[in-house]
Amino acid sequence: MIKFFFLAFESFRFAWQALRSNLFRTMLSLMGVTVGIFSIIGVLTMVDSLEANIKNSLNSIGTNVIYVQKWPWLFTNGDYPWWKYFMRPEPKYNEFKYLRENLEHAQAGAMMDFAGDVTCRKGSNSINALCQGITYEFNEITEVPIVNGRYFASQEIESGKNVAVLGAEIADALFQDTDPIGKTFKMKGQNITVIGVQERKGKQIADFGGEPDQKVIIPFLSHKRIFSSGELTGDIVFKGYEGDEGLFELEGEITGLLRTKRGLRPTQEDSFALNRPEAAAAMLGQLFSTLRVSGFVIGIFALLIGGFGIANIMFVTVKERTNIIGIQKSLGAKNYFILFQFLFESIFLCVVGGLFGLLLVYILSFLPLGSLDIILSYGNIILGIGVSSTIGILFGIIPAWQAARLDPVIAIRSK
């Protein structure tokens, strides 16, 4: 073990001397490794951050849930026959009630509808908001974290009272520093009483269902009375039990009951879509995997250029130190000592280049990119160091092997 540490220390000393004595040449050689690691780890970091943000947004619309809607979220075999989906009827409130009463594999169910760019006023203060109408069990489908006040009572939902739970930004804009609970504001000419304020969640790059901080939530029947005079329609969502098997049973139940409710014959296609956030996440996962592979391939080309630069500098180093190699061998240095010495130097140089690339990615993580938080993970750091070390081994082994095979007598006589 002591011998190994001595060998490592000697190799490190030689590598450091080479780095200092030929700084400009070394930096040019390391540039390819730096660019390669920056390309690979930069793309992986961006994709990982984007994927985490979007998956977090998908989780905000519920887990283990199935949405009953007019439009499917996913393409089928690359095709999206929108004209067929356009002719489908919107899910109705009476269909929701029917399903909620008859489903056996649903933990909870809710119906919702949205109205965008709605002006809310309180005195001289105003703000545009997304207004969402919901039924009572909505907070069992997805989290509605209340930091001030309370959630809706079932009587308020069923009777369609003009009460609301506000997002943090809406509450701040309308009521400034005062407590909004129990106070009223105007929306579409209606007086709405505030009963709760949601926890501040911050911006998200993918706003599935709208940003919670910029949302006003009211009872579904109130929403329909204020924003629509037609049928009670919207999106239906049911939460199943844990596991794919529970969701599979729930999906089958919804399909059978809704087909019966709509009077569809066995030969007719479904006139509705059952959408699952997990399926959308799986499709996005395939896309992100493709992006990762593409970034890795692009980075590999830059690394190959850097690797040839490292190989070149190592061949030059071996030639410059041929006399020293001969002296070391004449004093008893084994071939593996010489091999390890030059191989360690190659790895050291590549790791230095890789660390510069990682440093550039780390600096990139501080750049403001809207709501996207860029996080350089420990896994990507280890991958960057591992890849750069591998390049050092692959492109340093031949010069190191050449140095180890030098005849000590010929090496000493070289000038």
Side-chain angles (χ1 to χ4, degrees):
M1 184 62 69
I2 296 175
K3 189 175 182 180
F4 173 79
F5 281 114
F6 174 75
L7 181 59
F9 174 76
E10 284 294 311
S11 300
F12 176 80
R13 187 169 62 84
F14 274 114
W16 181 249
Q17 287 176 351
L19 183 64
R20 292 184 59 188
S21 60
N22 302 287
L23 186 60
F24 183 71
R25 184 182 69 185
T26 303
M27 293 303 295
L28 288 177
S29 300
L30 295 186
M31 192 174 297
V33 178
T34 300
V35 172
I37 294 298
F38 173 74
S39 300
I40 292 175
I41 304 304
V43 170
L44 293 180
T45 299
M46 289 290 290
V47 171
D48 288 346
S49 301
L50 183 62
E51 183 177 16
N53 194 294
I54 291 178
K55 285 186 175 180
N56 183 58
S57 299
L58 282 170
N59 290 335
S60 70
I61 62 176
T63 56
N64 295 316
V65 298
I66 296 176
Y67 280 78
V68 183
Q69 296 171 306
K70 176 178 178 176
W71 302 87
W73 293 352
L74 304 179
F75 294 86
T76 305
N77 297 324
D79 188 25
Y80 195 83
W82 59 268
W83 57 90
K84 181 172 64 176
Y85 304 139
F86 179 77
M87 300 301 294
R88 290 175 173 180
E90 294 280 356
K92 298 178 178 60
Y93 184 67
N94 63 351
E95 292 174 337
F96 162 69
K97 299 290 282 187
Y98 172 77
L99 290 172
R100 190 68 191 100
E101 291 169 3
N102 291 279
L103 286 173
E104 296 179 358
H105 293 88
Q107 291 190 58
M111 191 165 190
M112 66 193 79
D113 200 12
F114 298 88
D117 204 26
V118 178
T119 301
C120 303
R121 299 182 184 279
K122 175 62 178 179
S124 60
N125 300 325
S126 67
I127 186 173
N128 288 341
L130 173 68
C131 185
Q132 181 178 15
I134 63 168
T135 55
Y136 180 63
E137 292 182 328
F138 178 77
N139 66 332
E140 297 181 38
I141 302 294
T142 184
E143 289 186 356
V144 184
I146 306 294
V147 293
N148 188 12
R150 60 176 176 83
Y151 186 68
F152 302 98
S154 59
Q155 297 87 349
E156 293 170 332
I157 294 287
E158 294 300 327
S159 61
K161 280 196 168 184
N162 284 355
V163 291
V165 172
L166 304 182
E169 289 186 21
I170 305 299
D172 290 345
L174 294 179
F175 298 96
Q176 306 296 322
D177 297 326
T178 62
D179 186 0
I181 305 303
K183 296 183 173 63
T184 62
F185 65 96
K186 287 278 189 180
M187 185 172 66
K188 293 285 286 187
Q190 299 281 325
N191 286 318
I192 311 293
T193 302
V194 180
I195 62 169
V197 177
Q198 284 199 74
E199 178 184 41
R200 189 180 301 275
K201 292 189 175 181
K203 291 185 177 295
Q204 299 174 331
I205 192 169
D207 304 323
F208 299 102
E211 289 190 11
D213 294 343
Q214 299 176 0
K215 188 187 292 185
V216 174
I217 303 177
I218 64 175
F220 180 79
L221 295 179
S222 305
H223 187 279
K224 284 300 179 183
R225 186 178 63 250
I226 295 172
F227 295 100
S228 175
S229 57
E231 284 189 288
L232 301 179
T233 59
D235 294 337
I236 299 172
V237 57
F238 286 101
K239 186 178 183 69
Y241 293 98
E242 294 292 332
D244 291 335
E245 185 177 342
L247 284 180
F248 179 77
E249 292 174 341
L250 176 60
E251 188 173 2
E253 264 196 306
I254 294 173
T255 301
L257 289 170
L258 194 51
R259 285 181 64 88
T260 300
K261 179 67 174 175
R262 293 189 173 182
L264 297 176
R265 294 189 299 273
T267 56
Q268 289 181 287
E269 292 184 2
D270 294 339
S271 59
F272 51 87
L274 301 183
N275 296 314
R276 291 174 54 180
E278 292 90 345
M283 183 187 71
L284 289 172
Q286 295 177 357
L287 173 62
F288 290 131
S289 296
T290 302
L291 291 175
R292 288 189 184 93
V293 172
S294 300
F296 198 88
V297 170
I298 293 171
I300 284 297
F301 281 107
L303 279 175
L304 288 175
I305 296 172
F308 285 116
I310 293 296
N312 179 66
I313 195 175
M314 291 307 301
F315 277 120
V316 172
T317 301
V318 170
K319 187 173 183 180
E320 289 177 345
R321 295 216 300 259
T322 300
N323 185 261
I324 297 175
I325 294 170
I327 295 173
Q328 287 178 318
K329 282 197 164 191
S330 66
L331 293 176
K334 302 294 184 181
N335 285 350
Y336 72 84
F337 179 90
I338 305 298
L339 177 72
F340 185 85
Q341 176 181 303
F342 282 92
L343 192 60
F344 183 90
E345 184 172 333
S346 174
I347 296 172
F348 174 76
L349 293 174
C350 284
V351 169
V352 170
L355 289 175
F356 275 115
L358 290 172
L359 178 62
L360 292 177
V361 178
Y362 181 70
I363 294 172
L364 177 67
S365 68
F366 289 98
L367 296 178
L369 295 176
S371 56
L372 178 61
D373 293 327
I374 302 175
I375 299 174
L376 177 59
S377 66
Y378 290 114
N380 284 336
I381 293 174
I382 293 172
L383 177 63
I385 295 174
V387 170
S388 56
S389 300
T390 302
I391 292 296
I393 293 172
L394 292 177
F395 287 89
I397 188 66
I398 294 178
W401 180 75
Q402 185 185 71
R405 284 175 54 85
L406 286 174
D407 183 277
V409 176
I410 297 176
I412 290 176
R413 290 175 177 177
S414 66
K415 297 272 183 162

